[in-house]
Amino acid sequence: MPGLMEKLGLKPGVIYGDDVYNLFKYARETGFAIPAINVTSSSTAAAALEGARDSKAPIILQVSNGGAAFFAGKGISNDGQKASVAGAVAAAHYIRSIAPVYGIPVVLHTDHCAKKLLPWLDGMMDADEAFFKEHGVPLFSSHMIDLSEESVDENISTTAKYLKRAAPWKQWLEMEIGITGGEEDGVNNEDVDNNSLYTQPEDIWQIQQALSPISRYFSIAAGFGNVHGVYQPGNVKLQPDLLAKHQAFVAEKLGGDEKKPVFFVFHGGSGSSVDDFRTAIGHGVVKVNLDTDLQWAYLSGHRDYITSKIEYLKTQVGNPDGPGKPNKKFYDPRVWVREGEKTMKARVQQALDDFKATNTL
């Protein structure tokens, strides 16, 4: 039975425009979602790519503002978003270069961009525009603009402005309505009113009305109680069935045959239950953000290796096998960094299973 690459005519590597649209549409129709993995280095990117390849699934790789600055190097000043722009562009070129070798379709995305970070998005879109003029595609498959802390009108009007810029390149734009709680990458929403975590169907329809005439290449991260990070059981009350109400509201307004006309995104996926994931996916979620769980997975491999080999890591020469035995083969970064990649890869594969994306290629 042909998989999605044959059905959609996708080639390995980073995909753009209609290929991104068709992938998300196929995911929505067939009932799976694609994990969006925050990467901060070539190592974390390789771990995610390897996991998706071995699970025969597409993957979304994304960089956050802080992750992009880290990719550039912490020794670079981020005045004027200089490091975050340079790091995001460097990550994009690296992923574009290496992704085809893994034989899978990859969506290259950037994560939350709040109002104060818009110069970062401007700089990346400048790079997109320059790349498009030379290659016929933007540098990034998609970006995310997050003005959920602003008024609904400002959120939508500003998002529309950026979508107009992206439209000639057929670049996807993800936006957020309804605040995601918790803390991530320096943005702290741990004390927001719980009512702010739940989006109303009228807001979804207002977005659809404003953005659809500009471009069809957009998705909505609607709040249904989502929280960044991992917390004690019972602290997070997700209501993914709200997405069904949003879909029905928009479908009725549109009056067509499409029962799920909206592309939804699930933010704050770490720590959520498989039932919540699959319920949300059934209501049109095509992308699920995972970061905290992947950070823990990456650390776990390093931690377990170092604790198990600690007697070989205290000196360059001398270990339990003898006072003159060298330890280079134990402290070589290619050894212990690889252990983190293995555990991160396994967590990516678990997510692909949870989201029903495994063996879709």
Side-chain angles (χ1 to χ4, degrees):
M1 185 175 179
L4 67 84
M5 292 189 75
E6 183 177 343
K7 287 180 179 178
L8 304 180
L10 301 182
K11 295 180 180 179
V14 175
I15 62 173
Y16 301 91
D18 290 329
D19 287 340
V20 174
Y21 178 88
N22 291 334
L23 174 61
F24 286 157
K25 187 171 185 287
Y26 182 81
R28 188 176 64 184
E29 290 172 350
T30 55
F32 71 90
I34 307 166
I37 310 301
N38 284 67
V39 297
T40 56
S41 63
S42 60
S43 175
T44 51
L49 289 167
E50 184 181 349
R53 180 201 66 191
D54 290 357
S55 292
K56 298 180 174 60
I59 197 75
I60 301 169
L61 299 186
Q62 60 188 28
V63 291
S64 67
N65 179 266
F70 186 86
F71 210 105
K74 293 297 286 184
I76 299 176
S77 167
N78 206 20
D79 289 345
Q81 298 299 315
K82 175 183 175 182
S84 289
V85 172
V89 169
H93 283 294
Y94 169 73
I95 292 167
R96 274 183 50 85
S97 297
I98 204 67
V101 179
Y102 285 85
I104 60 172
V106 176
V107 177
L108 177 56
H109 182 67
T110 63
D111 205 4
H112 292 266
C113 180
K115 185 176 181 177
K116 66 182 180 181
L117 301 179
L118 286 176
W120 175 50
L121 181 54
D122 293 333
M124 292 187 295
M125 293 187 84
D126 287 345
D128 284 319
E129 187 169 10
F131 198 84
F132 182 84
K133 288 177 180 177
E134 187 173 350
H135 301 281
V137 293
L139 182 58
F140 296 88
S141 310
S142 58
H143 294 293
M144 192 228 167
I145 183 170
D146 178 5
L147 302 181
S148 56
E149 295 186 1
E150 315 309 321
S151 69
V152 172
D153 288 343
E154 181 180 355
N155 185 350
I156 295 174
S157 63
T158 305
T159 298
K161 183 183 76 171
Y162 280 91
L163 188 61
K164 285 177 183 175
R165 184 176 185 189
W169 318 324
K170 295 186 176 181
Q171 187 178 55
W172 197 273
L173 189 64
E174 175 187 331
M175 64 91 68
E176 181 165 350
I177 186 83
I179 294 172
T180 300
E183 189 278 334
E184 182 180 48
D185 208 27
V187 178
N188 193 321
N189 290 324
E190 292 179 310
D191 297 323
V192 298
D193 181 355
N194 278 349
N195 290 330
S196 301
L197 305 180
Y198 300 95
T199 304
Q200 301 304 310
E202 292 81 5
D203 294 334
I204 304 298
W205 173 237
Q206 188 177 346
I207 294 165
Q208 200 77 11
Q209 283 182 299
L211 302 188
S212 291
I214 300 170
S215 169
R216 66 177 183 170
Y217 307 99
F218 70 92
S219 52
I220 302 172
F224 52 95
N226 313 63
V227 173
H228 286 135
V230 176
Y231 296 87
Q232 289 285 349
N235 284 10
V236 179
K237 296 179 175 60
L238 291 177
Q239 297 184 35
D241 283 323
L242 289 175
L243 299 179
K245 296 179 180 179
H246 299 339
Q247 293 281 21
F249 189 87
V250 174
E252 182 180 1
K253 292 287 188 181
L254 292 174
D257 296 329
E258 179 59 68
K259 300 299 183 185
K260 293 185 287 188
V262 183
F263 291 102
F264 280 127
V265 176
F266 189 138
H267 279 194
S270 292
S272 301
S273 73
V274 175
D275 284 345
D276 282 337
F277 285 137
R278 293 187 173 178
T279 298
I281 290 166
H283 299 322
V285 162
V286 297
K287 172 180 179 277
V288 180
N289 284 13
L290 283 180
D291 185 20
T292 305
D293 280 358
L294 273 297
Q295 291 177 353
W296 179 252
Y298 191 62
L299 164 71
S300 297
H302 297 151
R303 179 200 62 214
D304 293 348
Y305 175 80
I306 290 170
T307 54
S308 68
K309 302 292 185 184
I310 192 64
E311 296 303 323
Y312 296 84
L313 301 175
K314 291 181 176 180
T315 59
Q316 286 188 290
V317 178
N319 60 48
D321 299 328
K325 295 288 186 180
N327 293 319
K328 186 179 186 308
K329 67 180 181 181
F330 297 102
Y331 63 76
D332 185 329
R334 292 170 294 182
V335 176
W336 54 268
V337 170
R338 176 59 181 161
E339 294 305 311
E341 292 175 357
K342 289 177 183 177
T343 46
M344 180 175 171
K345 170 192 172 180
R347 184 61 183 87
V348 169
Q349 291 187 287
Q350 179 188 328
L352 290 165
D353 285 344
D354 291 346
F355 306 162
K356 298 184 176 181
T358 300
N359 291 323
T360 53
L361 297 188

